Amino acid sequence: MAIINALIARRDSPFTAGFLGKFFIFYAAILQHQTALVVTGVITVGCGFYYYLKVIRAMYWQSTGKVDKIPVTGLSRLAISALIIATIWLGVYPQPILDALKR
């Protein structure tokens, strides 16, 4: 689940921290009348979406011969969980980051 969350955030889905970054970049480009930049950005976002979806498909829908479990320590689980929560939290409630950027 952590990898899926990271890939979803990387492809800039709404309600993740990655979405806000792309939104503000596109918004600034639109305000500056940089249409070619926005079109290029949208095309590359679509290409990235396709790439990350292929990775998820390969992880879950393609069969493999033998799968060994990867040992994960408690501290690693805690760090992964904290990062998942932070990614979603900053996508839903970005105001603390926006306030910090205004200073």
Side-chain angles (χ1 to χ4, degrees):
M1 286 304 294
I3 293 176
I4 290 177
N5 183 44
L7 291 174
I8 287 172
R10 269 306 291 145
R11 71 178 177 91
D12 308 319
S13 293
F15 303 115
T16 62
F19 174 75
L20 285 174
K22 281 273 175 47
F23 176 78
F24 285 126
I25 288 172
F26 287 154
Y27 181 70
I30 289 170
L31 289 179
Q32 297 296 318
H33 305 291
Q34 298 291 330
T35 309
L37 179 64
V38 173
V39 169
T40 303
V42 169
I43 290 170
T44 59
V45 166
C47 293
F49 178 74
Y50 173 75
Y51 170 75
Y52 291 121
L53 196 58
K54 273 183 81 167
V55 172
I56 292 172
R57 186 186 64 160
M59 285 183 349
Y60 289 102
W61 287 289
Q62 291 179 352
S63 63
T64 58
K66 181 182 176 187
V67 178
D68 293 328
K69 288 193 172 191
I70 300 172
V72 180
T73 65
L75 182 59
S76 294
R77 287 182 195 273
L78 179 67
I80 290 168
S81 299
L83 291 172
I84 289 172
I85 290 168
T87 300
I88 295 171
W89 179 259
L90 290 174
V92 173
Y93 183 65
Q95 200 59 44
I97 299 294
L98 298 176
D99 290 342
L101 291 173
K102 288 181 183 176
R103 291 183 203 168

